[in-house]
Amino acid sequence: MAEPVEARARRMTIAEALREAATTLSATSDTARLDAEVLMAHALGVTRSDLLLRHMAGAVPETFATLVERRQAHEPVAYITGRQEFFSLPLRVSPAVLIPRGDSEVLVEAALAARPGARRVLDCGTGSGALLLATLSHLPQARGVAIDRCARALAVAAGNAAALGLTGRSAFLQRDWTRPGWAAGLGGADLILANPPYVETGTPLAPSVAAHEPHGALFAGADGLDDYRRLLPLLSELLAPGGVACLEIGYDQAAAVSALARAAGLVPQVHQDLNGADRVVEMAA
């Protein structure tokens, strides 16, 4: 009779369990070893660096096997651990929000470079609060307002603001830009940040995204531009004189979004991510 997995895990060292988990996850993930290490650190309640330095000969925690099974079923590591780092900030995440990606850090960098003296920041579709909180953490003179149509997402964002000590400089409002009047009282922003849905409806996505991340924050019509068409005509009204808006885009949307910006009376400038793909359109009023 084959030995139960749980019994084998109990007598394994952590180093051995990590090797086995990495092999198991290689069919699911391109970062199988990293995933295994992050999940093990989470199971132990330590940092990944502490795991690698001090715990490799230790006993495997009983919860580790279940965490690996969840990842093997394509659940994102960030949802399993409830954490994701963005712009060097530790953020809480849940299935109510998109997982912040490193590519989106280009938007924060562009915004900080465009308006280093900004005092009022507006984040449209805040999700986890990643864009607003990263920006405020580098603009100590600024205050921010974030909107989202999802109450659960706003709770995640407000929790992150509290954990980072930014509650006093941020406010979170439930607004839906698909409904009339959503922008009332939000004008006068020096910086507007947004990572709107921009995936073409029906586009096949990786299982970890398609099965777990919120579709309302991903899909935006047949050409992926529905939300830009809603947002851009109002940006001039929301921006203070000399203000700048930075919106994330899909890799092939720079020309279309730039055209929408010009039609709205804005001057667009495209920024690339670390892979050289178009990622952000900066728009000056």
Side-chain angles (χ1 to χ4, degrees), residues 53-115:
L53 287 172
R54 298 181 177 88
H55 296 276
M56 297 298 278
V60 180
E62 292 182 2
T63 57
F64 181 63
T66 299
L67 300 181
V68 172
E69 289 174 2
R70 290 172 64 183
R71 181 64 186 125
Q72 192 176 11
H74 298 284
E75 186 174 352
V77 171
Y79 288 158
I80 297 172
T81 64
R83 297 178 180 274
Q84 177 70 20
E85 185 175 291
F86 180 80
F87 222 77
S88 299
L89 299 180
L91 300 177
R92 290 279 187 179
V93 296
S94 81
V97 302
L98 286 182
I99 299 168
R101 266 77 168 178
D103 287 342
S104 298
E105 294 184 357
V106 175
L107 190 154
V108 178
E109 292 169 352
L112 293 173
R115 286 303 308 268

Short mmCIF file of all heavy atoms in Angstrom, two decimals, residues 53-115:
data_model
loop_
_atom_site.label_atom_id
_atom_site.label_comp_id
_atom_site.label_asym_id
_atom_site.label_seq_id
_atom_site.Cartn_x
_atom_site.Cartn_y
_atom_site.Cartn_z
N LEU A 53 17.09 30.89 4.74
CA LEU A 53 18.29 30.99 5.58
C LEU A 53 18.24 30.08 6.80
O LEU A 53 19.27 29.58 7.24
CB LEU A 53 18.47 32.45 6.04
CG LEU A 53 18.95 33.44 4.98
CD1 LEU A 53 18.89 34.86 5.54
CD2 LEU A 53 20.37 33.11 4.53
N ARG A 54 17.04 29.84 7.35
CA ARG A 54 16.97 29.24 8.68
C ARG A 54 16.10 28.00 8.81
O ARG A 54 16.16 27.32 9.85
CB ARG A 54 16.47 30.28 9.69
CG ARG A 54 17.39 31.47 9.83
CD ARG A 54 16.85 32.47 10.87
NE ARG A 54 17.77 33.58 11.04
CZ ARG A 54 17.75 34.68 10.30
NH1 ARG A 54 16.85 34.81 9.36
NH2 ARG A 54 18.64 35.64 10.51
N HIS A 55 15.31 27.67 7.83
CA HIS A 55 14.30 26.63 8.05
C HIS A 55 14.38 25.44 7.12
O HIS A 55 13.52 24.56 7.18
CB HIS A 55 12.90 27.25 7.94
CG HIS A 55 12.60 28.27 8.99
ND1 HIS A 55 12.15 27.95 10.24
CD2 HIS A 55 12.72 29.62 8.96
CE1 HIS A 55 11.98 29.05 10.96
NE2 HIS A 55 12.31 30.08 10.20
N MET A 56 15.37 25.38 6.27
CA MET A 56 15.37 24.34 5.23
C MET A 56 15.48 22.93 5.78
O MET A 56 15.03 21.97 5.14
CB MET A 56 16.50 24.61 4.23
CG MET A 56 16.34 25.92 3.47
SD MET A 56 14.84 25.97 2.47
CE MET A 56 15.40 25.07 1.02
N ALA A 57 16.05 22.77 6.96
CA ALA A 57 16.17 21.42 7.54
C ALA A 57 15.02 21.10 8.48
O ALA A 57 14.98 20.01 9.07
CB ALA A 57 17.49 21.30 8.30
N GLY A 58 14.08 22.02 8.62
CA GLY A 58 12.98 21.83 9.56
C GLY A 58 11.90 20.89 9.05
O GLY A 58 11.95 20.38 7.93
N ALA A 59 10.91 20.69 9.91
CA ALA A 59 9.79 19.81 9.57
C ALA A 59 8.77 20.57 8.73
O ALA A 59 8.57 21.78 8.89
CB ALA A 59 9.14 19.29 10.85
N VAL A 60 8.10 19.85 7.85
CA VAL A 60 7.13 20.46 6.94
C VAL A 60 5.82 20.71 7.69
O VAL A 60 5.27 19.79 8.31
CB VAL A 60 6.87 19.53 5.74
CG1 VAL A 60 5.86 20.17 4.78
CG2 VAL A 60 8.18 19.21 5.04
N PRO A 61 5.30 21.93 7.64
CA PRO A 61 4.02 22.20 8.29
C PRO A 61 2.88 21.43 7.62
O PRO A 61 2.89 21.22 6.41
CB PRO A 61 3.84 23.72 8.14
CG PRO A 61 4.74 24.11 7.02
CD PRO A 61 5.88 23.15 7.03
N GLU A 62 1.90 21.02 8.40
CA GLU A 62 0.82 20.18 7.89
C GLU A 62 -0.01 20.89 6.81
O GLU A 62 -0.59 20.24 5.94
CB GLU A 62 -0.10 19.75 9.04
CG GLU A 62 0.57 18.79 10.01
CD GLU A 62 -0.37 18.35 11.11
OE1 GLU A 62 -1.56 18.77 11.07
OE2 GLU A 62 0.05 17.58 11.99
N THR A 63 -0.06 22.22 6.88
CA THR A 63 -0.90 22.96 5.92
C THR A 63 -0.27 23.09 4.54
O THR A 63 -0.96 23.48 3.58
CB THR A 63 -1.17 24.37 6.46
OG1 THR A 63 0.09 25.03 6.71
CG2 THR A 63 -1.98 24.33 7.75
N PHE A 64 1.00 22.78 4.40
CA PHE A 64 1.69 23.03 3.14
C PHE A 64 1.08 22.24 1.98
O PHE A 64 0.91 22.76 0.87
CB PHE A 64 3.18 22.71 3.28
CG PHE A 64 3.98 22.95 2.03
CD1 PHE A 64 4.09 24.23 1.49
CD2 PHE A 64 4.62 21.90 1.38
CE1 PHE A 64 4.83 24.46 0.34
CE2 PHE A 64 5.36 22.13 0.23
CZ PHE A 64 5.47 23.41 -0.29
N ALA A 65 0.76 20.98 2.20
CA ALA A 65 0.23 20.14 1.12
C ALA A 65 -1.05 20.73 0.54
O ALA A 65 -1.26 20.74 -0.69
CB ALA A 65 -0.01 18.73 1.62
N THR A 66 -1.91 21.26 1.41
CA THR A 66 -3.16 21.86 0.93
C THR A 66 -2.89 23.11 0.11
O THR A 66 -3.55 23.35 -0.92
CB THR A 66 -4.07 22.21 2.12
OG1 THR A 66 -4.38 21.01 2.84
CG2 THR A 66 -5.36 22.86 1.65
N LEU A 67 -1.92 23.90 0.52
CA LEU A 67 -1.57 25.10 -0.24
C LEU A 67 -1.06 24.73 -1.63
O LEU A 67 -1.41 25.38 -2.63
CB LEU A 67 -0.51 25.91 0.50
CG LEU A 67 -0.88 26.41 1.90
CD1 LEU A 67 0.28 27.21 2.49
CD2 LEU A 67 -2.14 27.24 1.88
N VAL A 68 -0.25 23.70 -1.71
CA VAL A 68 0.26 23.25 -3.01
C VAL A 68 -0.89 22.75 -3.89
O VAL A 68 -0.92 23.03 -5.10
CB VAL A 68 1.33 22.17 -2.83
CG1 VAL A 68 1.73 21.56 -4.17
CG2 VAL A 68 2.56 22.74 -2.13
N GLU A 69 -1.82 22.03 -3.30
CA GLU A 69 -2.97 21.55 -4.08
C GLU A 69 -3.78 22.71 -4.65
O GLU A 69 -4.25 22.65 -5.78
CB GLU A 69 -3.85 20.67 -3.19
CG GLU A 69 -3.24 19.32 -2.85
CD GLU A 69 -4.08 18.55 -1.85
OE1 GLU A 69 -5.16 19.07 -1.45
OE2 GLU A 69 -3.66 17.45 -1.45
N ARG A 70 -3.95 23.75 -3.86
CA ARG A 70 -4.69 24.92 -4.35
C ARG A 70 -3.95 25.57 -5.52
O ARG A 70 -4.57 25.95 -6.53
CB ARG A 70 -4.88 25.93 -3.22
CG ARG A 70 -5.85 25.46 -2.16
CD ARG A 70 -5.89 26.37 -0.96
NE ARG A 70 -6.37 27.71 -1.29
CZ ARG A 70 -6.44 28.72 -0.41
NH1 ARG A 70 -6.05 28.53 0.85
NH2 ARG A 70 -6.89 29.90 -0.80
N ARG A 71 -2.65 25.69 -5.41
CA ARG A 71 -1.88 26.28 -6.52
C ARG A 71 -1.89 25.36 -7.73
O ARG A 71 -1.96 25.83 -8.88
CB ARG A 71 -0.44 26.55 -6.08
CG ARG A 71 0.42 27.18 -7.16
CD ARG A 71 -0.10 28.55 -7.53
NE ARG A 71 0.62 29.12 -8.66
CZ ARG A 71 0.04 29.54 -9.78
NH1 ARG A 71 -1.27 29.46 -9.93
NH2 ARG A 71 0.76 30.05 -10.76
N GLN A 72 -1.86 24.07 -7.50
CA GLN A 72 -1.90 23.10 -8.60
C GLN A 72 -3.22 23.23 -9.37
O GLN A 72 -3.28 22.97 -10.57
CB GLN A 72 -1.73 21.68 -8.06
CG GLN A 72 -1.48 20.63 -9.12
CD GLN A 72 -1.23 19.27 -8.52
OE1 GLN A 72 -1.43 19.05 -7.32
NE2 GLN A 72 -0.77 18.33 -9.34
N ALA A 73 -4.27 23.68 -8.69
CA ALA A 73 -5.58 23.89 -9.32
C ALA A 73 -5.69 25.29 -9.91
O ALA A 73 -6.80 25.76 -10.18
CB ALA A 73 -6.69 23.66 -8.30
N HIS A 74 -4.55 25.97 -10.09
CA HIS A 74 -4.45 27.27 -10.76
C HIS A 74 -4.87 28.47 -9.91
O HIS A 74 -4.98 29.58 -10.43
CB HIS A 74 -5.26 27.29 -12.07
CG HIS A 74 -4.79 26.30 -13.09
ND1 HIS A 74 -3.64 26.49 -13.84
CD2 HIS A 74 -5.30 25.10 -13.46
CE1 HIS A 74 -3.48 25.45 -14.65
NE2 HIS A 74 -4.46 24.60 -14.43
N GLU A 75 -5.12 28.28 -8.63
CA GLU A 75 -5.42 29.44 -7.80
C GLU A 75 -4.15 30.29 -7.66
O GLU A 75 -3.08 29.76 -7.36
CB GLU A 75 -5.91 29.01 -6.42
CG GLU A 75 -6.36 30.18 -5.56
CD GLU A 75 -6.98 29.74 -4.24
OE1 GLU A 75 -7.19 28.51 -4.04
OE2 GLU A 75 -7.25 30.61 -3.41
N PRO A 76 -4.23 31.60 -7.88
CA PRO A 76 -3.03 32.43 -7.79
C PRO A 76 -2.43 32.43 -6.40
O PRO A 76 -3.14 32.40 -5.39
CB PRO A 76 -3.56 33.83 -8.15
CG PRO A 76 -4.78 33.58 -8.96
CD PRO A 76 -5.40 32.35 -8.38
N VAL A 77 -1.11 32.47 -6.35
CA VAL A 77 -0.40 32.48 -5.07
C VAL A 77 -0.86 33.65 -4.21
O VAL A 77 -1.03 33.53 -3.00
CB VAL A 77 1.12 32.52 -5.30
CG1 VAL A 77 1.86 32.76 -3.99
CG2 VAL A 77 1.60 31.22 -5.93
N ALA A 78 -1.06 34.80 -4.83
CA ALA A 78 -1.45 35.99 -4.06
C ALA A 78 -2.79 35.80 -3.36
O ALA A 78 -2.99 36.30 -2.25
CB ALA A 78 -1.50 37.22 -4.98
N TYR A 79 -3.72 35.09 -3.99
CA TYR A 79 -5.00 34.83 -3.34
C TYR A 79 -4.86 33.78 -2.23
O TYR A 79 -5.57 33.83 -1.22
CB TYR A 79 -6.04 34.37 -4.34
CG TYR A 79 -6.54 35.45 -5.28
CD1 TYR A 79 -7.11 35.12 -6.50
CD2 TYR A 79 -6.45 36.80 -4.95
CE1 TYR A 79 -7.58 36.10 -7.37
CE2 TYR A 79 -6.90 37.78 -5.82
CZ TYR A 79 -7.47 37.43 -7.02
OH TYR A 79 -7.93 38.40 -7.88
N ILE A 80 -3.97 32.83 -2.42
CA ILE A 80 -3.75 31.81 -1.40
C ILE A 80 -3.15 32.43 -0.14
O ILE A 80 -3.57 32.15 0.98
CB ILE A 80 -2.84 30.69 -1.94
CG1 ILE A 80 -3.50 29.96 -3.11
CG2 ILE A 80 -2.50 29.69 -0.82
CD1 ILE A 80 -2.59 28.98 -3.81
N THR A 81 -2.16 33.30 -0.33
CA THR A 81 -1.50 33.93 0.82
C THR A 81 -2.22 35.18 1.30
O THR A 81 -2.03 35.63 2.42
CB THR A 81 -0.06 34.30 0.48
OG1 THR A 81 -0.05 35.31 -0.56
CG2 THR A 81 0.73 33.09 0.01
N GLY A 82 -3.04 35.78 0.41
CA GLY A 82 -3.71 37.03 0.74
C GLY A 82 -2.81 38.23 0.68
O GLY A 82 -3.17 39.31 1.17
N ARG A 83 -1.66 38.10 0.03
CA ARG A 83 -0.69 39.20 0.00
C ARG A 83 -0.07 39.34 -1.38
O ARG A 83 0.11 38.37 -2.11
CB ARG A 83 0.44 38.95 1.01
CG ARG A 83 -0.01 38.92 2.46
CD ARG A 83 1.15 38.62 3.39
NE ARG A 83 0.74 38.58 4.78
CZ ARG A 83 0.66 39.65 5.57
NH1 ARG A 83 0.98 40.84 5.09
NH2 ARG A 83 0.27 39.53 6.83
N GLN A 84 0.29 40.59 -1.72
CA GLN A 84 1.03 40.86 -2.94
C GLN A 84 1.83 42.14 -2.75
O GLN A 84 1.29 43.15 -2.28
CB GLN A 84 0.08 41.02 -4.13
CG GLN A 84 0.75 41.36 -5.44
CD GLN A 84 1.58 40.21 -6.00
OE1 GLN A 84 1.38 39.05 -5.64
NE2 GLN A 84 2.50 40.52 -6.89
N GLU A 85 3.08 42.12 -3.12
CA GLU A 85 3.90 43.33 -3.04
C GLU A 85 3.73 44.15 -4.31
O GLU A 85 3.66 43.62 -5.41
CB GLU A 85 5.37 42.97 -2.85
CG GLU A 85 6.27 44.17 -2.64
CD GLU A 85 7.70 43.80 -2.34
OE1 GLU A 85 7.96 43.27 -1.24
OE2 GLU A 85 8.57 44.03 -3.21
N PHE A 86 3.63 45.47 -4.13
CA PHE A 86 3.53 46.38 -5.27
C PHE A 86 4.28 47.66 -4.94
O PHE A 86 4.02 48.28 -3.90
CB PHE A 86 2.06 46.70 -5.57
CG PHE A 86 1.87 47.64 -6.75
CD1 PHE A 86 1.94 47.15 -8.04
CD2 PHE A 86 1.68 48.99 -6.56
CE1 PHE A 86 1.79 48.00 -9.13
CE2 PHE A 86 1.51 49.86 -7.63
CZ PHE A 86 1.58 49.36 -8.92
N PHE A 87 5.21 48.02 -5.79
CA PHE A 87 6.02 49.23 -5.58
C PHE A 87 6.65 49.21 -4.18
O PHE A 87 6.68 50.22 -3.48
CB PHE A 87 5.15 50.49 -5.77
CG PHE A 87 5.85 51.59 -6.55
CD1 PHE A 87 5.98 51.51 -7.92
CD2 PHE A 87 6.38 52.69 -5.90
CE1 PHE A 87 6.63 52.51 -8.64
CE2 PHE A 87 7.02 53.70 -6.59
CZ PHE A 87 7.15 53.61 -7.97
N SER A 88 7.10 48.03 -3.78
CA SER A 88 7.74 47.78 -2.48
C SER A 88 6.78 47.91 -1.30
O SER A 88 7.23 47.94 -0.14
CB SER A 88 8.95 48.70 -2.26
OG SER A 88 9.92 48.49 -3.25
N LEU A 89 5.48 47.98 -1.55
CA LEU A 89 4.49 48.04 -0.48
C LEU A 89 3.84 46.67 -0.30
O LEU A 89 3.43 46.04 -1.28
CB LEU A 89 3.40 49.06 -0.80
CG LEU A 89 3.82 50.51 -0.98
CD1 LEU A 89 2.59 51.36 -1.30
CD2 LEU A 89 4.52 51.05 0.27
N PRO A 90 3.70 46.18 0.94
CA PRO A 90 2.98 44.93 1.17
C PRO A 90 1.48 45.20 1.18
O PRO A 90 0.97 45.97 1.99
CB PRO A 90 3.47 44.51 2.56
CG PRO A 90 3.80 45.81 3.25
CD PRO A 90 4.28 46.76 2.17
N LEU A 91 0.76 44.57 0.28
CA LEU A 91 -0.67 44.79 0.15
C LEU A 91 -1.44 43.51 0.42
O LEU A 91 -1.00 42.42 0.07
CB LEU A 91 -1.02 45.29 -1.26
CG LEU A 91 -0.40 46.60 -1.72
CD1 LEU A 91 -0.81 46.88 -3.15
CD2 LEU A 91 -0.80 47.76 -0.80
N ARG A 92 -2.61 43.67 1.02
CA ARG A 92 -3.56 42.58 1.14
C ARG A 92 -4.38 42.51 -0.15
O ARG A 92 -4.77 43.55 -0.70
CB ARG A 92 -4.50 42.81 2.33
CG ARG A 92 -3.83 42.68 3.68
CD ARG A 92 -3.71 41.23 4.08
NE ARG A 92 -3.23 41.07 5.44
CZ ARG A 92 -3.07 39.89 6.03
NH1 ARG A 92 -3.36 38.78 5.35
NH2 ARG A 92 -2.61 39.80 7.25
N VAL A 93 -4.66 41.31 -0.60
CA VAL A 93 -5.52 41.12 -1.77
C VAL A 93 -6.52 40.02 -1.49
O VAL A 93 -6.31 39.18 -0.61
CB VAL A 93 -4.71 40.79 -3.05
CG1 VAL A 93 -3.80 41.93 -3.44
CG2 VAL A 93 -3.92 39.50 -2.86
N SER A 94 -7.60 40.04 -2.25
CA SER A 94 -8.62 39.00 -2.16
C SER A 94 -9.20 38.82 -3.55
O SER A 94 -8.95 39.64 -4.45
CB SER A 94 -9.72 39.41 -1.18
OG SER A 94 -10.64 40.29 -1.80
N PRO A 95 -10.02 37.78 -3.77
CA PRO A 95 -10.63 37.61 -5.08
C PRO A 95 -11.57 38.74 -5.49
O PRO A 95 -12.04 38.76 -6.63
CB PRO A 95 -11.40 36.28 -4.94
CG PRO A 95 -10.64 35.54 -3.89
CD PRO A 95 -10.21 36.59 -2.92
N ALA A 96 -11.82 39.70 -4.60
CA ALA A 96 -12.63 40.88 -4.97
C ALA A 96 -11.84 41.87 -5.80
O ALA A 96 -12.43 42.78 -6.38
CB ALA A 96 -13.16 41.57 -3.71
N VAL A 97 -10.51 41.73 -5.86
CA VAL A 97 -9.67 42.70 -6.56
C VAL A 97 -8.70 41.99 -7.49
O VAL A 97 -8.30 40.85 -7.25
CB VAL A 97 -8.87 43.58 -5.57
CG1 VAL A 97 -9.82 44.31 -4.62
CG2 VAL A 97 -7.84 42.77 -4.78
N LEU A 98 -8.33 42.68 -8.55
CA LEU A 98 -7.24 42.17 -9.39
C LEU A 98 -5.95 42.13 -8.59
O LEU A 98 -5.71 42.98 -7.73
CB LEU A 98 -7.03 43.08 -10.60
CG LEU A 98 -8.04 43.03 -11.74
CD1 LEU A 98 -7.59 43.98 -12.85
CD2 LEU A 98 -8.20 41.62 -12.30
N ILE A 99 -5.11 41.18 -8.90
CA ILE A 99 -3.79 41.12 -8.28
C ILE A 99 -2.90 42.17 -8.93
O ILE A 99 -2.75 42.17 -10.16
CB ILE A 99 -3.17 39.72 -8.45
CG1 ILE A 99 -4.05 38.67 -7.77
CG2 ILE A 99 -1.75 39.69 -7.90
CD1 ILE A 99 -3.68 37.24 -8.14
N PRO A 100 -2.33 43.09 -8.16
CA PRO A 100 -1.46 44.11 -8.77
C PRO A 100 -0.25 43.47 -9.45
O PRO A 100 0.38 42.57 -8.88
CB PRO A 100 -1.02 44.97 -7.58
CG PRO A 100 -2.02 44.69 -6.51
CD PRO A 100 -2.46 43.27 -6.72
N ARG A 101 0.03 43.93 -10.67
CA ARG A 101 1.16 43.40 -11.44
C ARG A 101 2.31 44.40 -11.47
O ARG A 101 2.11 45.61 -11.39
CB ARG A 101 0.73 43.14 -12.88
CG ARG A 101 0.29 41.72 -13.17
CD ARG A 101 -1.07 41.42 -12.68
NE ARG A 101 -1.59 40.14 -13.22
CZ ARG A 101 -2.76 39.63 -12.89
NH1 ARG A 101 -3.56 40.26 -12.05
NH2 ARG A 101 -3.15 38.48 -13.40
N GLY A 102 3.50 43.87 -11.65
CA GLY A 102 4.68 44.72 -11.76
C GLY A 102 4.60 45.69 -12.92
O GLY A 102 5.12 46.80 -12.83
N ASP A 103 3.94 45.30 -14.02
CA ASP A 103 3.82 46.19 -15.17
C ASP A 103 3.12 47.49 -14.80
O ASP A 103 3.39 48.54 -15.38
CB ASP A 103 3.05 45.50 -16.30
CG ASP A 103 3.85 44.41 -16.99
OD1 ASP A 103 5.09 44.40 -16.84
OD2 ASP A 103 3.24 43.57 -17.68
N SER A 104 2.21 47.44 -13.83
CA SER A 104 1.47 48.63 -13.44
C SER A 104 2.34 49.63 -12.68
O SER A 104 1.94 50.79 -12.51
CB SER A 104 0.26 48.25 -12.58
OG SER A 104 -0.63 47.45 -13.31
N GLU A 105 3.51 49.21 -12.21
CA GLU A 105 4.40 50.14 -11.53
C GLU A 105 4.87 51.24 -12.47
O GLU A 105 5.21 52.34 -12.03
CB GLU A 105 5.59 49.39 -10.93
CG GLU A 105 5.18 48.42 -9.82
CD GLU A 105 6.34 47.74 -9.15
OE1 GLU A 105 7.51 47.96 -9.59
OE2 GLU A 105 6.11 46.99 -8.18
N VAL A 106 4.87 50.97 -13.78
CA VAL A 106 5.22 52.00 -14.77
C VAL A 106 4.27 53.18 -14.66
O VAL A 106 4.67 54.34 -14.83
CB VAL A 106 5.20 51.40 -16.20
CG1 VAL A 106 5.45 52.48 -17.24
CG2 VAL A 106 6.24 50.30 -16.32
N LEU A 107 3.00 52.90 -14.38
CA LEU A 107 2.02 53.98 -14.26
C LEU A 107 2.37 54.89 -13.08
O LEU A 107 2.31 56.11 -13.19
CB LEU A 107 0.62 53.37 -14.09
CG LEU A 107 -0.57 54.34 -14.18
CD1 LEU A 107 -1.81 53.58 -14.63
CD2 LEU A 107 -0.84 55.03 -12.86
N VAL A 108 2.72 54.30 -11.95
CA VAL A 108 3.09 55.10 -10.78
C VAL A 108 4.34 55.92 -11.07
O VAL A 108 4.41 57.11 -10.74
CB VAL A 108 3.31 54.19 -9.55
CG1 VAL A 108 3.75 55.02 -8.34
CG2 VAL A 108 2.05 53.42 -9.22
N GLU A 109 5.31 55.31 -11.72
CA GLU A 109 6.54 56.04 -12.05
C GLU A 109 6.25 57.22 -12.98
O GLU A 109 6.78 58.32 -12.79
CB GLU A 109 7.55 55.09 -12.71
CG GLU A 109 8.09 54.03 -11.75
CD GLU A 109 8.87 52.94 -12.47
OE1 GLU A 109 8.85 52.93 -13.73
OE2 GLU A 109 9.49 52.12 -11.78
N ALA A 110 5.39 57.00 -13.97
CA ALA A 110 5.04 58.07 -14.90
C ALA A 110 4.31 59.19 -14.18
O ALA A 110 4.56 60.38 -14.42
CB ALA A 110 4.19 57.52 -16.04
N ALA A 111 3.39 58.84 -13.28
CA ALA A 111 2.63 59.85 -12.55
C ALA A 111 3.54 60.67 -11.64
O ALA A 111 3.42 61.91 -11.58
CB ALA A 111 1.53 59.17 -11.73
N LEU A 112 4.44 60.02 -10.94
CA LEU A 112 5.34 60.74 -10.03
C LEU A 112 6.27 61.67 -10.80
O LEU A 112 6.56 62.79 -10.35
CB LEU A 112 6.16 59.74 -9.22
CG LEU A 112 5.38 58.89 -8.21
CD1 LEU A 112 6.28 57.83 -7.61
CD2 LEU A 112 4.78 59.76 -7.11
N ALA A 113 6.72 61.23 -11.97
CA ALA A 113 7.60 62.07 -12.78
C ALA A 113 6.84 63.26 -13.38
O ALA A 113 7.38 64.36 -13.51
CB ALA A 113 8.24 61.24 -13.89
N ALA A 114 5.57 63.03 -13.73
CA ALA A 114 4.79 64.07 -14.39
C ALA A 114 4.37 65.18 -13.43
O ALA A 114 4.37 66.36 -13.79
CB ALA A 114 3.55 63.46 -15.05
N ARG A 115 4.00 64.80 -12.20
CA ARG A 115 3.51 65.79 -11.24
C ARG A 115 4.08 65.52 -9.86
O ARG A 115 3.38 65.12 -8.94
CB ARG A 115 1.99 65.79 -11.19
CG ARG A 115 1.29 66.42 -12.39
CD ARG A 115 1.71 67.88 -12.66
NE ARG A 115 1.59 68.73 -11.49
CZ ARG A 115 0.52 69.45 -11.18
NH1 ARG A 115 -0.54 69.42 -11.96
NH2 ARG A 115 0.52 70.21 -10.10
#
